[in-house]
Amino acid sequence: MISERRWHQGQRVYNSLTLSIVALLLLSCSSLPKEEEPSRRISQEAAKYTKYGNSFFALGEYDEAAQMYQNALDGYVQIDDLSEVLSLSHALVKALIYTGRREEAQRVLDQAGEYSDDLRLPESESLDKRVLTAEHYLLRGELAYLRDDHRGAMESFDHALTALHDSGAEELRAVLLQSRATVLRDLEDYDGARENLHTAIIYNTELNNRSELASNFYTLALVEYDERNYDGALKNADRALGLDRAEENSREIGQDLFLLGKIFDKKGETQRAIASLLRAEEIYRRLELDVPLQKVVDYRLGVEKK
């Protein structure tokens, strides 16, 4: 999980990619003979659990989402539907990371890798496997990042991009570029981070993916902030805020406002800083997000004491 912002928005991309894969697989299937009716029932039940899991995830109920994804995964394992096993494994890994169960997430991902080795799809569906492979390496990189293994994270992200070579899949490619940029920023390779973000912005602009664009501009603002280019940071943070407001991304709006408060503070604009921080507090309080709320409160109190 590169950031909570990234995971919430990345789930939207992940869901759309998963639905595309499922649609292609369903179109390739003919009606099942009677002896395969149990498999049909199991598949339909697993699909319901997947839908419930996606709903819980969107609501931030990650324990419940993980349980639903596990139920769906068990069903697909039972009928040996390897494509769905991989998709649900990836969804489960994301939910487990959000609940803090990282070791369990790593075990699920490792098992998914073994399934991936066994997956054989017709040549017409080769893109599906490439996307699943890229998602696998994306998650492996996210887990490496959480262990502060920046080198391992970058290697996994690069493997994912290689899997997508000449495949299209611009949405997932943009997610990977965003993730690479976050790692490069941590390593203080600001030029590299900026280059990846600019490319991601091109993809997301063409896709009209405003939530992902907001994430790109937010991270670009962080890069400028780290370089003490506060005017540049302000410009990009404002862009992120406008996009998040258009998409009604409340949690992300709170993050944007917190960053803007810090930027105004660095620019010596104390009243504007406090105003932004108070608005961020209001959002976090309404969402009952105690941890980020306390961070904003602590920062605001520090500003007020100056």
Side-chain angles (χ1 to χ4, degrees):
M1 179 174 52
I2 290 296
S3 70
E4 192 164 1
R5 164 187 288 266
R6 270 252 22 87
W7 278 95
H8 278 282
Q9 296 172 351
Q11 182 67 10
R12 301 188 188 100
V13 175
Y14 172 81
N15 287 342
S16 66
L17 289 166
T18 299
L19 288 173
S20 298
I21 292 169
V22 172
L24 285 169
L25 292 172
L26 289 176
L27 286 172
S28 68
C29 296
S30 60
S31 58
L32 297 173
K34 288 185 180 296
E35 60 267 22
E36 294 188 18
E37 285 296 331
S39 294
R40 185 202 294 268
R41 286 199 305 274
I42 292 171
S43 179
Q44 291 173 340
E45 191 71 15
K48 290 180 182 178
Y49 281 125
T50 301
K51 183 177 180 180
Y52 297 149
N54 290 340
S55 296
F56 279 125
F57 194 100
L59 293 171
E61 302 290 343
Y62 303 117
D63 284 308
E64 290 80 359
Q67 185 59 61
M68 293 299 103
Y69 289 144
Q70 183 65 66
N71 292 345
L73 179 58
D74 290 343
Y76 287 125
V77 168
Q78 186 177 346
I79 61 176
D80 202 29
D81 188 335
L82 293 184
S83 293
E84 288 294 351
V85 166
L86 288 173
S87 295
L88 265 298
S89 295
H90 295 164
L92 177 56
V93 167
K94 293 183 179 185
L96 290 172
I97 291 174
Y98 262 126
T99 62
R101 293 144 66 184
R102 298 178 189 175
E103 291 184 2
E104 187 176 349
Q106 187 68 62
R107 287 196 297 271
V108 172
L109 191 60
D110 290 342
Q111 183 65 56
E114 296 178 14
Y115 283 117
S116 181
D117 292 339
D118 296 333
L119 179 63
R120 297 291 182 270
L121 291 176
E123 184 63 29
S124 62
E125 296 168 16
S126 61
L127 174 59
D128 302 344
K129 183 171 182 179
R130 292 169 74 179
V131 169
L132 289 169
T133 299
E135 289 175 348
H136 177 84
Y137 279 114
L138 170 61
L139 291 170
R140 190 168 291 281
E142 304 283 15
L143 284 166
Y145 180 82
L146 288 171
R147 298 192 301 270
D148 292 326
D149 179 6
H150 293 85
R151 179 178 178 181
M154 290 297 287
E155 288 178 352
S156 292
F157 296 148
D158 288 343
H159 278 306
L161 286 170
T162 299
L164 293 177
H165 180 65
D166 290 337
S167 67
E170 287 85 359
E171 284 182 289
L172 186 54
R173 193 183 302 275
V175 169
L176 286 159
L177 291 168
Q178 166 72 39
S179 296
R180 291 184 89 258
T182 302
V183 177
L184 290 169
R185 176 194 166 226
D186 278 11
L187 296 174
E188 299 184 1
D189 181 355
Y190 299 125
D191 288 339
R194 193 178 290 105
E195 179 181 355
N196 279 264
L197 288 168
H198 285 163
T199 306
I201 287 169
I202 292 171
Y203 283 132
N204 286 320
T205 299
E206 292 175 349
L207 294 165
N208 194 29
N209 193 335
R210 293 189 295 187
S211 289
E212 286 295 310
L213 271 173
S215 184
N216 299 153
F217 284 121
Y218 176 84
T219 307
L220 194 54
L222 291 175
V223 170
E224 304 290 0
Y225 182 89
D226 290 346
E227 292 186 310
R228 301 184 182 182
N229 176 10
Y230 300 124
D231 288 335
L234 178 60
K235 178 181 177 181
N236 288 302
D238 267 332
R239 286 175 172 172
L241 179 60
L243 290 161
D244 281 322
R245 281 177 169 163
E247 293 297 291
E248 299 181 353
N249 298 329
S250 297
R251 186 188 302 254
E252 287 75 22
I253 290 171
Q255 293 177 333
D256 298 333
L257 289 168
F258 186 15
L259 178 56
L260 281 166
K262 294 165 71 174
I263 294 169
F264 285 131
D265 178 39
K266 294 297 185 181
K267 287 171 63 68
E269 300 182 38
T270 303
Q271 293 307 311
R272 295 183 73 182
I274 292 173
S276 292
L277 295 168
L278 286 172
R279 286 156 63 200
E281 288 177 32
E282 180 182 352
I283 289 172
Y284 285 140
R285 192 171 286 109
R286 185 174 70 249
L287 296 175
E288 298 181 354
L289 297 173
D290 295 337
V291 173
L293 172 61
Q294 191 58 53
K295 290 181 180 179
V296 179
V297 170
D298 290 344
Y299 192 94
R300 176 177 57 80
L301 293 175
V303 172
E304 292 175 340
K305 289 179 180 178
K306 292 181 180 179

